[in-house]
Amino acid sequence: MNEENNLIDNLDKNCSVSVSREKLQSPKGTHDILPDEYCYFELVRNTVEKCCKEFGFGRISTPIFENKELFQRSVGAISDIVEKELYVFKTASGKEYALKPEGTAGVVRAYIQHGMSSWPQPVQLYYIEPHFRHDRPQAGRFRQFHQFGFEVIGEIDPVLDAQIIQLANQINSDLKISNHLKLQINSLGCAECRPKYIVALKDFYFGKERSLCDSCNNRLEKNPLRLLDCKAEDCQLLSFLAPKISNFWCGECASHFTQVKEFLTELKIPFVENLSLVRGLDYYTRTVFEFWDEKDGAQNAIGGGGRYDKLIADLGGVDVPALGYAAGIERIIAHMKTAEIKIPHDQNMQIFVAPLGVEAKKKALKLLEDLRKAGIRASGALGKNSMKSQMKLADRFGASLAIIFGQIEIQDGTIIIRDMKKGSQEIVLFKDIVKIIKNKLKK
Ligand code: AMP
C-alpha cells in the first residue's frame, strides 16, 4: 500500500467521514459539456430562440423539480416515464418531488397557476431546459439530457397543429438536419372515439398473449396503445394485423386530421401517415407527430409532440385545448455531427494578442479591453512567454489575426499584425491598432 493510501486509511480511522478512493466521475448517463461541444449547444439554442421569437413565442422556465403528483397526473402514472424513469426524492416532511422528465407538465402547471387563461389566447411559450429520466443509458439516451420545446395553449384549430410542425421543421432546416429526417403523423382520436378503439385492440390481442413480449403483456391491460410501437419482432408482426385507429375516429377527429394534412401539403412539408405512432406519454389526444431519422426510425426520433386537449382541465385548470413539441438537443447535435455540419466561423476568436515581456503585458490588458469594447472577440495568452507557444494558441483559438509586440515595438510606438492564414506580417502604429483591426475584420 502506498503512502497516500495509508494516509487515507488513517484519515478514515480518525474521522467519522470515510474517504472513498474511487475515481470521481460524472454520474452514469450524464455528461459534462466541454467548450468544443458547447458551440453546438449555443448554435441550437440561438436557432431555437430566433425561430420561436419569429413565430411569436415567449420564453418560460419552470423549476427543475415539481411535485411528483404533477407527472403522475399528466404524463400518466402507468407510463414508462413515470413508472420506471422518474427521479424521486422525499423531503424531511415526507413530501415527494420528482426531477422533471419532460417540459409540458410544468408549463401547463404554470399556465394554471398564473391564470394565463385570462391572457390573449393562444398563449405561446417555449423552453430550453435539462430533463431527467432514469433510463438505461445507451447511444442517444441519457439520464440527464436537454430538450427545447414549445406549447400553444388555448385554441383547437388544426391550423395550429400545422404551424407547430412548421416551427419544428424550420428549426431542423435552419440547423441543416431536415434532409435526414422524416415527419411521421397520426391521430390518437379523442375521449369519445379512442375508448372504442382500445376495446377493439384488447379484443384483438385476447388469446394472443403468448406471442407478446413481457413488456407488452404488462401494457395490455394498462396501456394497450403502446403495443403498437413495440420494437420486438413478434409484437410488430401482430401490430400490423391489429385494428387501425383510423377506422374508429369520430367525424370531428377525422376532419381535424384531414385538415392538418392539407395544411402540411400546402406548406410543402412532406409527411408519412403512420397509424402505429402513439408516443410514450398518456396526455395526447388527436394529432401526434415525430421527426424520425431516415436510418434508425423511431429509435432515434429527434423530437415529437401533439395535442393534449384535456390536460389543462385534468390538472385543475379551465377546459382549453393545447398542443406542443419537444426535441432532444443531444440527439440533434449527434445528427449535425454525422452530417458533418460545421459551426459557423463567427463563433471563433477574431484577434489574438501576443505580448512579449513584462512591459508589453502591461499594455496588453488595456489593449484587450479596448478591442472588446469595439465589439471584437479578442483573447491573449498573457501567461505564456515564448512566441512559439503563443502562436500555437492563436491557431487553436482559430483567430484570423494576431497582434504581436515586445520591448522594441513599445519604444517605437508600433505593433505587428500577423495574418494567421497567410503567415504575412505588417507593422502599424500602436495608437491606430483598434481602428485598423476593425477595418480589416470588415473586409
Ligand atoms: P419524448 O417526448 O419522450 O418523445 O422526447 C422528445 C425528445 O427528447 C426525443 O425525441 C429525444 O430527442 C429526446 N429524449 C427523450 N428522452 C431522452 C433521453 N433519455 N436521452 C436523450 N434524449 C432524449
Side-chain angles (χ1 to χ4, degrees), residues 133 140-142 145 147 279 281 301-303 326-328 331:
R133 293 183 191 175
R141 202 166 281 282
F142 309 105
F145 57 97
Q147 277 184 340
R279 310 264 305 128
L281 305 93
I302 63 127
R331 285 200 201 165

Side-chain angles (χ1 to χ4, degrees), residues 184-245:
Q184 314 278 316
I185 60 168
N186 190 16
S187 171
L188 297 181
C190 64
E192 195 194 309
C193 57
R194 186 165 24 171
K196 293 175 196 150
Y197 177 56
I198 289 183
V199 171
L201 259 191
K202 282 186 177 170
D203 284 350
F204 168 79
Y205 282 107
F206 184 77
K208 301 186 178 73
E209 292 84 350
R210 276 193 303 168
S211 310
L212 294 173
C213 70
D214 289 348
S215 306
C216 281
N217 264 303
N218 283 333
R219 288 170 180 154
L220 194 51
E221 242 338 284
K222 300 177 187 167
N223 201 354
L225 279 181
R226 290 310 309 271
L227 268 70
L228 298 178
D229 72 348
C230 179
K231 306 292 168 301
E233 206 176 315
D234 286 351
C235 300
Q236 277 198 346
L237 283 176
L238 275 179
S239 81
F240 286 130
L241 304 172
K244 300 286 172 264
I245 193 160

Side-chain angles (χ1 to χ4, degrees), residues 18 39 60 117 134 138 155 194 224 245 289 310 367:
S18 73
C39 302
I60 184 169
S117 57
H134 192 266
Q138 52 194 290
E155 277 181 8
R194 186 165 24 171
I245 193 160
F289 63 97
K310 291 289 152 221
L367 176 56

